[in-house]
Amino acid sequence: MADGFFTGSAPGLAVFLNAGDPPLPVLRDVVLALDEQRVDCLELAVPFPNSFTDGPVVRRSATRALEAGVDLDSTLRFVGDVAGELRHMKIALLADWSHTVKPRSLNWFLDRVAAEPVDGLLLHGLPPLLRDEYHDAAAEHAVPIVTTCYPNSATEVVAEAADRAGAYVYLVARYGRSGTRSDQDFTELRGTVDALRQTATAPIAVGFGVRDRGDVAAIGELGADAAVVGSAAVSAVEHALNEQSDPVAALSTFVTNLIRPEE
């Protein structure tokens, strides 16, 4: 496994948030609180508009962050400032190919990421024809990557995801947009988890449709190393902002109910 990603009791927990939502000074307190709760990984997105894989909750979050002027530079500065204070949690940066990388160049982007204490990189919307170039360039820059696959991905895609992951493999539970889950049967993913486990040396995380403690437990029963919680966490932040209450307390309560619910 990649050092330090999901090192606690299984299954571990990754939480997705957009950089800048809540505002960066508040987000710093959120990150430190999540670290105190021993969340294993923060998937921190460089905000980008009109995500084709996200539903309205995450899109609104990205819009708030973009309107606040958050971009790659401010996101990387934020990571550089906060990472040294973390005792447990790792940060995986999520960036969009079209919005953040393509306007410059892949090597320029990887130079920037490699210069900061980013523990893993997930590149959203990367054209399949550029995967080999990206994998090789990330290896040259010593940037551990998060690879992705789906339950119905071709065998060779699953094998590639297992082989090239340096941070973790993100098994996306289903196609669609985040935050639009119908009844999710995570047991259907067992075959893909088993296939990844045959060759993967990095941890396997499962996400998309994870909302509560039962979902996290179901993912652990598959033999996966971690669950990724996205829209449900972003929704907790949004609700706090709308109610003018404390996003730190709101997200801390949400995470507590995921990992240690009230009896």
Side-chain angles (χ1 to χ4, degrees):
M1 290 185 180
D3 289 342
F5 258 95
F6 304 112
T7 58
S9 58
L13 184 65
V15 173
F16 168 92
L17 293 172
N18 275 300
D21 188 55
L24 292 177
V26 181
L27 181 62
R28 181 181 181 279
D29 292 337
V30 167
V31 171
L32 295 177
L34 294 179
D35 182 53
E36 185 69 24
Q37 290 180 286
R38 296 189 66 80
V39 170
D40 297 287
C41 174
L42 172 66
E43 281 192 359
L44 184 66
V46 180
F48 60 96
N50 305 319
S51 172
F52 60 86
T53 60
D54 289 314
V57 170
V58 174
R59 285 186 171 206
R60 288 194 300 268
S61 170
T63 297
R64 289 190 293 270
L66 289 166
E67 290 176 346
V70 177
D71 57 10
L72 177 65
D73 288 343
S74 52
T75 301
L76 289 177
R77 283 197 301 271
F78 175 83
V79 173
D81 289 342
V82 77
E85 299 185 52
L86 302 180
R87 294 182 293 177
H88 175 77
M89 188 169 68
K90 303 299 180 184
I91 298 177
L93 186 76
L94 186 153
D96 181 66
W97 167 259
S98 295
H99 183 74
T100 302
V101 183
K102 187 178 178 181
R104 301 294 185 94
S105 74
L106 179 60
N107 281 321
W108 173 88
F109 171 72
L110 288 170
D111 282 341
R112 297 297 313 281
V113 172
E116 300 295 343
V118 172
D119 299 296
L121 173 64
L122 198 168
L123 201 51
H124 175 271
L126 177 72
L129 290 176
L130 297 180
R131 275 204 301 258
D132 286 344
E133 177 186 350
Y134 165 57
H135 292 162
D136 292 343
E140 290 173 4
H141 285 79
V143 174
I145 62 172
V146 179
T147 59
T148 60
C149 64
Y150 291 82
N152 56 349
S153 292
T155 301
E156 59 269 23
V157 173
V158 173
E160 180 184 62
D163 181 59
R164 301 307 293 261
Y168 54 94
V169 182
Y170 185 173
L171 173 56
V172 184
R174 62 175 177 83
Y175 285 105
R177 288 188 171 182
S178 63
T180 58
R181 186 187 85 164
S182 57
D183 290 339
Q184 178 73 59
D185 183 3
F186 290 104
T187 62
E188 297 175 353
L189 308 177
R190 187 177 301 279
T192 309
V193 171
D194 291 344
L196 288 166
R197 188 68 73 196
Q198 289 179 16
T199 57
T201 58
I204 300 166
V206 175
F208 219 88
V210 180
R211 294 180 180 274
D212 54 36
R213 182 177 180 270
D215 293 336
V216 174
I219 287 169
E221 290 171 3
L222 294 175
D225 298 293
V228 182
V229 182
S231 293
V234 176
S235 180
V237 171
E238 181 176 62
H239 181 75
L241 294 174
N242 289 341
E243 296 296 317
Q244 298 185 332
S245 57
D246 182 9
V248 181
L251 199 54
S252 294
T253 298
F254 172 76
V255 169
T256 296
N257 290 335
L258 279 178
I259 59 179
R260 193 174 60 252
E262 295 181 359
E263 297 295 337

